Amino acid sequence: MQTLRQNDRTFMEGASGIHVVNDKGERLIDGPGGMWCTQIGYGREEMAEAMAEQARKLAYFSPFNATNSTASHFAREIAKRAPGDLNNVFFTTGGSTAVDTAIRFTHFRNNLLNKPKKKIIISRQKAYHGSTYLAASVSGKERDRLWLDKADHLAHFLPDVNPLHRGEGQSIDAFLDEKIADLEEAIQSLGADKVAAFIAEPILASGGVIVPPEGYHKRCLEVCHKHDVLYISDEVVTAFGRLGHWFASKDVFGIEPDIITCAKGLTSGYAPMGAAIISDRLIDDVAGRDAAFSNGYTYSGHPVSAAAGLKSIEIIEHDEILEHVRRVTPIFQGRLQELRNIDIVADVRGMGLMGCVQCSEKGKARGDLGRDYEIGALIDQECQKRGLILRPIINMCVFSPPLIITEAEIHQMFDILKEGIEAATSLAKNP
């Protein structure tokens, strides 16, 4: 707000492949992949044609008491790829409304099961689940929560799961045990009769690409089911190929959640859409009852968005993009790890085609907040000068490029990132 109406915003006016073009005609690698979402890359003519064809045939229908074959087909294709018995797809407008839908359904089910007090959602520090009121209430990014109201009575937050901040001399195994104990103790102290669900991103994306210790999600799921607490896996970022699989919950982390939320890569960012995917078991609990789940949106199951999603799935399969991601991941993660050798780099972490470089003035895990902001801004500026867009989150450089990125483009991206960090280091020492 301090610089309101003074910002000179960048206008993005074109894009192709992994590159975007600004209003000055400058071509830049899109490091964040839009906002974790441009899976198949920009400028796919077949996507434009599929959306245009659907718009010509049927641009919109009211989801209040009708459906459409394109949306129905898309729901079936999602369910076929989702793990276990997650076969019920509730379309939404994006990730935030998908999380809202998941939480509202959880509350709705508990009301019908005569458990009206079972409403608290356990989340985590650094978690991000959306910007609608309910989704924001279960989001744990501290500075996002400073000035906006939220439903505090519905949310409880667990301590940071980032292994970087474990106790001095503490092993990863001991840290993992501590994090599982945090969840169990929270459920017991709040009361299992009051805790409805645990919501977790497989990897905390906007929190800084935080990868919990191996085995974390499996053990959390066991704790949840022991106490009749639902497990909501927020795959808005990780689904549809970011880690080389349709969904990361089962194929990467070995769990079958009760509910999965997704968006972003669902349509490769070509049209807004999200979904809450709910298990048959939960649906069976409410089926046949004299009640209505009064949750939905004007654009639920939008046919043009559904056409975009179907075409995106087709392209991912035809171009073998999931296989490509798995093939280039070692190169991507290898180049990421090389950045550890730079003095101001405090940590690097990632998985699949997700990465984060955390910097501070002295290369410490925790630095001065003001200086961290300055360093992050410097790195962002120096990388943009060289043709790379990052997502700067204070002192963290976060990136998740389009999944079609080639080996050569990965090397180019990391070469620019390395130069940008080194240039920023020099400027920080000699302002």
Side-chain angles (χ1 to χ4, degrees), residues 339-346 360-364 425 429:
L339 300 174
R340 282 190 184 276
N341 301 323
I342 302 175
D343 289 345
I344 67 168
V345 173
S360 67
E361 191 169 25
K362 298 179 180 179
K364 301 289 186 182
T425 303
K429 289 178 179 177

Side-chain angles (χ1 to χ4, degrees), residues 229-248:
V229 171
L230 299 187
Y231 194 108
I232 302 171
S233 185
D234 185 353
E235 289 221 45
V236 167
V237 169
T238 55
F240 294 91
R242 183 56 53 190
L243 302 187
H245 299 275
W246 290 113
F247 293 93

Side-chain angles (χ1 to χ4, degrees), residues 276-295:
I277 313 169
I278 302 174
S279 75
D280 287 339
R281 177 178 69 85
L282 302 189
I283 294 295
D284 289 345
D285 286 341
V286 301
R289 293 175 180 261
D290 185 17
F293 181 51
S294 302
N295 181 85

Side-chain angles (χ1 to χ4, degrees), residues 10-321:
T10 299
F11 283 67
M12 292 302 177
E13 303 293 349
S16 177
I18 71 163
H19 295 88
V20 291
V21 180
N22 64 21
D23 55 332
K24 299 175 183 176
E26 296 168 335
R27 188 166 173 261
L28 305 102
I29 296 173
D30 184 5
M35 193 176 280
W36 319 88
C37 61
T38 54
Q39 318 298 68
I40 61 173
Y42 294 101
R44 303 292 298 237
E45 289 291 335
E46 58 267 59
M47 285 290 282
E49 286 301 317
M51 294 168 70
E53 182 181 349
Q54 180 60 55
R56 284 190 288 265
K57 185 193 297 184
L58 177 69
Y60 174 78
F61 72 93
S62 168
F64 182 74
N65 59 2
T67 189
N68 166 260
S69 60
T70 305
S72 178
H73 184 194
F74 189 32
R76 179 175 293 276
E77 292 302 311
I78 293 168
K80 280 166 56 177
R81 291 161 177 81
D85 70 340
L86 278 85
N87 295 315
N88 308 277
V89 180
F90 287 72
F91 283 123
T92 68
T93 55
S96 298
T97 47
V99 170
D100 269 26
T101 297
I103 294 173
R104 295 195 78 196
F105 178 83
T106 298
H107 290 168
F108 170 75
R109 172 178 172 270
N110 284 340
N111 289 339
L112 291 183
L113 294 179
N114 198 27
K115 300 175 182 178
K117 295 180 180 178
K118 201 171 175 63
K119 296 293 167 63
I120 296 173
I121 308 298
I122 294 178
S123 183
R124 303 176 293 183
Q125 288 181 14
K126 307 296 183 185
Y128 181 76
H129 297 292
S131 287
T132 50
Y133 189 73
L134 193 52
S137 294
V138 298
S139 294
K141 292 178 68 179
E142 298 91 335
R143 274 164 284 279
D144 287 359
R145 299 175 61 82
L146 286 176
W147 303 105
L148 292 169
D149 294 347
K150 47 211 175 292
D152 290 330
H153 66 290
L154 291 177
H156 176 86
F157 294 94
L158 302 177
D160 196 347
V161 297
N162 189 347
L164 178 65
H165 301 306
R166 65 187 185 276
E168 187 175 350
Q170 186 180 33
S171 69
I172 289 288
D173 288 342
F175 180 74
L176 171 59
D177 290 342
E178 179 185 293
K179 297 301 106 182
I180 302 304
D182 287 341
L183 175 59
E184 180 114 41
E185 289 167 7
I187 294 172
Q188 291 175 343
S189 64
L190 294 165
D193 62 325
K194 294 183 176 63
V195 178
F198 172 56
I199 186 168
E201 304 156 88
I203 295 174
L204 289 90
S206 296
V209 191
I210 298 170
V211 183
E214 187 175 353
Y216 171 83
H217 292 291
K218 277 187 176 181
R219 291 180 62 183
C220 284
L221 183 68
E222 291 168 2
V223 170
C224 287
H225 285 181
K226 182 171 86 172
H227 294 286
D228 186 29
V229 171
L230 299 187
Y231 194 108
I232 302 171
S233 185
D234 185 353
E235 289 221 45
V236 167
V237 169
T238 55
F240 294 91
R242 183 56 53 190
L243 302 187
H245 299 275
W246 290 113
F247 293 93
S249 294
K250 178 71 178 291
D251 290 331
V252 179
F253 298 99
I255 65 169
E256 292 185 6
D258 299 295
I259 302 175
I260 288 177
T261 55
C262 58
K264 297 188 184 294
L266 181 67
T267 62
S268 284
Y270 276 72
M273 199 173 212
I277 313 169
I278 302 174
S279 75
D280 287 339
R281 177 178 69 85
L282 302 189
I283 294 295
D284 289 345
D285 286 341
V286 301
R289 293 175 180 261
D290 185 17
F293 181 51
S294 302
N295 181 85
Y297 308 93
T298 300
Y299 301 109
S300 293
H302 196 284
V304 177
S305 295
L310 280 169
K311 182 56 69 172
S312 180
I313 286 177
E314 180 185 315
I315 291 169
I316 288 171
E317 289 186 334
H318 179 270
D319 292 1
E320 298 184 342
I321 290 176

